[in-house]
Amino acid sequence: MTDQLCRSTADPLRSYTSQTKPSWVQTLTLRHWHAVPVYFQLATQLRELHERGVIASGELLPQLHSMASWTGVGRKTVRSALAVLESDCRLHRQGSDFRFA
């Protein structure tokens, strides 16, 4: 039921390949030895980028392995961050693709 509430029909505004690094990735600052878990730091920063309009609604996020490589964290960390945003209905998942609501 939650999946239906969070679902969006937005078309992708942008998509990324493994070679195309979005400019907003460089604005992410993750502190590995901080009291706040890295996955939560990443989720918070992605949420803030979306709220400021840097990441548009309906925008297709880069693939998990690309985001992990670009941010210097593991895929599990990125997956956890995206799960936080998905549980808040800020992200919509379709297969392995994630888009902001």
Side-chain angles (χ1 to χ4, degrees):
M1 184 170 181
T2 304
D3 188 42
Q4 290 176 347
L5 294 174
C6 296
R7 200 164 291 201
S8 172
T9 58
D11 290 331
L13 299 177
R14 283 177 256 180
S15 62
Y16 302 100
T17 65
S18 59
Q19 280 109 13
T20 309
K21 183 190 230 181
S23 59
W24 54 259
V25 170
Q26 296 169 327
T27 67
L28 298 173
T29 305
L30 303 175
R31 296 180 179 99
H32 295 274
W33 302 108
H34 195 271
V36 177
V38 175
Y39 80 92
F40 196 78
Q41 292 177 50
L42 180 57
T44 301
Q45 291 180 39
L46 289 172
R47 180 184 302 118
E48 289 171 355
L49 287 170
H50 178 251
E51 289 172 352
R52 291 194 325 242
V54 176
I55 302 175
S57 292
E59 183 171 335
L60 181 65
L61 291 178
Q63 292 292 317
L64 210 69
H65 65 277
S66 296
M67 285 185 65
S69 172
W70 295 334
T71 57
V73 299
R75 288 186 302 223
K76 184 176 180 183
T77 302
V78 175
R79 191 177 304 118
S80 296
L82 298 179
V84 168
L85 295 171
E86 187 179 19
S87 70
D88 291 343
C89 289
R90 294 184 181 268
L91 277 185
H92 302 295
R93 183 178 188 168
Q94 189 173 28
S96 63
D97 294 334
F98 287 91
R99 299 176 197 280
F100 266 98

